[in-house]
Amino acid sequence: MKPIILIILAVLTAAAEIKAISAEEILSKVDRNVVTSSIRYKAKLDISISGKVMSKQFQGYSTGNDKAYMEFTSPSSDSGKRFLRVKDTFWMYLPSVGKATKLSGAATRSSLMGSDFSYDDAIENEKLSDLYFVTLEKEEKVNGSPCYVIKLTLKPDKSASYFIRKIWVDKSNFSYLKAEFYSKSMTLLKTVQVLEFKQIGAQYYPTHIKMENKLRKDTWTEFKLTDVQIGASIPAEVFTVKYLER
């Protein structure tokens, strides 16, 4: 068989493989991996700014896509700082103030404790398929793992921190290995690498993530989760201002 025929067959085979699964199916499988009914965890933020790394630890809880709570435990200067989201309302508690302060929508997209993550990034638990249209762009390897590359574009009636996302999805288990977040003008805002994930039940959940905010210079942040409990029972009182101010 002539080489040109082999090349044509290889191209046709690759195209058939791409069409074997739709972009919507890929995104649905990604959602099943990362969206939880409830979760509790401990976390560590390693924040690098101009080569200097500082670490912060906190514990977090969330239920559904509209209730989330975070409480920082170290260093001592941050201990007792707490954050609460209930639907579209976000609250912050600082021990030095002694009462909860409501944050505006724009504030939730600002830096979380000086990191490259925003508050929204840290507590995101909504199905991407509800927010974005999706297309399958190509296939590409990430660190040797074959991936689908999908492009997400925000639906006109939805609101999110990023207008466009590109996600590299591992073909073997539909965990995502890296992502790029863009503005409407296609300015690259942030990049994400998933350095480690853990299989919890049927889910491949990311537990070690590195994010770089491309609008900042010489910074990166690693977000490491431990003691992850998916489907955990969380008392309703956790998601109240009273609990925040306790």
Side-chain angles (χ1 to χ4, degrees), residues 151 153-154 161-165 181-189 215:
K151 179 181 177 181
T153 304
L154 190 65
S161 298
Y162 311 106
F163 187 79
I164 290 173
R165 304 187 189 208
F181 300 158
Y182 294 86
S183 67
K184 191 172 184 178
S185 64
M186 283 302 294
T187 298
L188 179 60
L189 302 175
L215 302 184

Side-chain angles (χ1 to χ4, degrees), residues 6 10 13 39 58 110 125 154 195 197 201 224:
L6 290 174
T13 300
I39 186 171
F58 67 95
S110 62
N125 191 41
L154 190 65
L195 303 178
F197 59 83
K224 303 174 185 177

Side-chain angles (χ1 to χ4, degrees), residues 31 34-36 39 41 62 64-68 70 85 90 117-128 131-132 152 159-162 165 167 176 181 192 205-206 209 211 223:
D31 280 338
V34 300
V35 176
T36 63
I39 186 171
Y41 58 86
S62 71
N65 62 9
D66 60 356
K67 294 180 182 178
M70 295 183 290
R85 177 193 169 195
F90 208 103
F117 288 81
S118 69
Y119 296 97
D120 283 346
D121 292 332
I123 63 176
E124 182 178 71
N125 191 41
E126 188 167 358
K127 288 183 178 180
L128 294 174
L131 298 174
Y132 292 91
L152 280 58
S159 176
S161 298
Y162 311 106
R165 304 187 189 208
I167 304 176
Y176 74 90
F181 300 158
V192 174
Y205 196 80
I209 302 168
M211 178 175 280
F223 187 13

